[in-house]
Amino acid sequence: MQLKPKNWTGLIAGLIILLIAGGLLWTFTQRHAVTATVSNLNLRQGPGLNYTATHKVKKNSRLTILGEKNNWYHVRDSQNHFGWVASWLVDHPGHLKTVTNLAEATIVLDPGHGGSDSGALSIDQKHDEKTYTLELAQRVAKALRAKGTHVIMTRSTDKTVSLADRPALANDHQANAFISFHFDSSPTDNLASGATTYYYHRQSSYALAQAVNGEMNDLPLTNRGIRFGNFEVIRDNSRPALLLEMGYINTKKDFSDIHSAVYQQAVADRVVKGLAQYFKTQH
């Protein structure tokens, strides 16, 4: 039987529609897919650690995002299991825009503590950690903005900000980097000294740690190097994230630098240089 011309036209139109729909579906799936970065990732009944785990997925398994709430993704796995996974336990390359210089970047700066949370007390028992983390972060922000960087501060005044809200700000704004500023404290005065760079997620944050820490070797305080740190503000962060402890506030030698404008500016300059170097290597 011969098909009439109009039937051919209808068939071709149908095929075109199917191809377009297939392409849109593939694009949606690619843009809304994540990969498990840990072994035996739990799929939970709701968006939180208090919800029951119903299934586990293997590391590197691909998951399709169906929804998002409170930094958790509602996903479907390849076996058609549904559940919620923590955003910081999956890799979502589509969410991280590649930038190659500071002028293209969005960076969240987090002055530790604030408001009712004073942080650690200084060696003279008169000064709070929160004061100096804000001063340091503001110096870094000024230097970054001079380079054209879009800077977001978790706080710009002495106010209380919850630990959960700090990484959430970076996640929500899809920041290219998150830096949290702190000053260490030892159990006994004058027991320890030096500055430490902490990361949590090796895959997303270790390269940033290397770039920033690599600029810290000529500071007055000893560079204690890069270490893993289980801190909420970097643990619950899906962006490249660091927590910097830039000296021991209850050590006399360190505190003499911590409250010095010269030291704070030196740290700020080196953080900016480290960030610039990090973005140069991103492709």
Side-chain angles (χ1 to χ4, degrees):
M1 180 182 72
Q2 274 191 330
L3 288 174
K4 295 180 180 179
K6 65 177 181 179
N7 290 338
W8 278 108
T9 302
L11 181 60
I12 291 170
L15 287 172
I16 291 172
I17 291 171
L18 285 173
L19 287 170
I20 292 173
L24 290 173
L25 179 62
W26 184 89
T27 301
F28 178 87
T29 302
Q30 293 300 308
R31 289 183 178 176
H32 293 76
V34 292
T35 304
T37 60
V38 297
S39 300
N40 297 317
L41 176 65
N42 288 317
L43 296 186
R44 297 184 180 274
Q45 290 180 334
L49 294 173
N50 56 320
Y51 288 93
T52 303
T54 55
H55 297 284
K56 292 182 182 293
V57 295
K58 295 179 180 179
K59 186 175 182 179
N60 297 322
S61 296
R62 197 169 183 81
L63 306 168
T64 301
I65 296 177
L66 305 173
E68 186 175 353
K69 184 177 181 181
N70 298 332
N71 296 319
W72 286 71
Y73 293 135
H74 187 214
V75 300
R76 181 184 68 242
D77 71 3
S78 60
Q79 305 300 313
N80 228 28
H81 297 133
F82 295 82
W84 291 83
V85 296
S87 63
W88 56 92
L89 296 179
V90 295
D91 180 37
H92 197 330
H95 271 195
L96 187 60
K97 178 186 174 183
T98 299
V99 302
T100 57
N101 60 68
L102 289 172
E104 298 173 348
T106 295
I107 298 176
V108 173
L109 301 181
D110 174 41
H113 309 285
S116 60
D117 176 12
S118 62
L121 269 177
S122 63
I123 185 71
D124 61 9
Q125 301 293 300
K126 294 179 181 179
H127 301 85
D128 297 327
E129 181 184 358
K130 67 177 183 178
T131 301
Y132 299 106
T133 59
L134 181 57
E135 288 181 5
L136 177 55
Q138 286 174 329
R139 291 180 185 277
V140 176
K142 183 179 179 180
L144 284 172
R145 285 170 177 149
K147 303 283 188 182
T149 308
H150 178 210
V151 176
I152 301 170
M153 302 276 284
T154 59
R155 68 180 181 96
S156 54
T157 60
D158 182 18
K159 70 174 184 178
T160 303
V161 181
S162 74
L163 287 177
D165 284 345
R166 297 168 192 254
L169 190 64
N171 294 334
D172 291 346
H173 285 83
Q174 299 181 21
N176 301 103
F178 170 97
I179 311 286
S180 186
F181 297 97
H182 288 259
F183 295 102
D184 234 325
S185 180
S186 55
T188 304
D189 289 350
N190 298 308
L191 184 64
S193 177
T196 311
T197 300
Y198 289 98
Y199 73 95
Y200 184 86
H201 299 290
R202 187 176 184 90
Q203 183 177 7
S204 63
S205 302
Y206 193 74
L208 178 61
Q210 287 180 306
V212 172
N213 186 263
E215 300 294 335
M216 301 293 184
N217 292 318
D218 62 345
L219 289 172
L221 300 183
T222 301
N223 184 355
R224 294 164 64 95
I226 301 169
R227 299 184 184 181
F228 171 84
N230 188 13
F231 302 107
E232 183 175 348
V233 295
I234 53 176
R235 183 188 68 231
D236 292 3
N237 214 311
S238 63
R239 324 312 295 166
L242 304 180
L243 186 146
L244 304 181
E245 296 274 13
M246 296 311 302
Y248 280 78
I249 200 168
N250 68 335
T251 293
K252 185 177 180 179
K253 175 184 180 297
D254 288 27
F255 185 60
S256 67
D257 286 314
I258 288 169
H259 70 73
S260 159
V262 173
Y263 174 73
Q264 289 184 23
Q265 191 59 52
V267 172
D269 292 343
R270 283 151 183 77
V271 169
V272 172
K273 285 178 68 177
L275 285 164
Q277 182 59 34
Y278 168 72
F279 290 125
K280 275 184 184 178
T281 64
Q282 301 305 295
H283 301 290

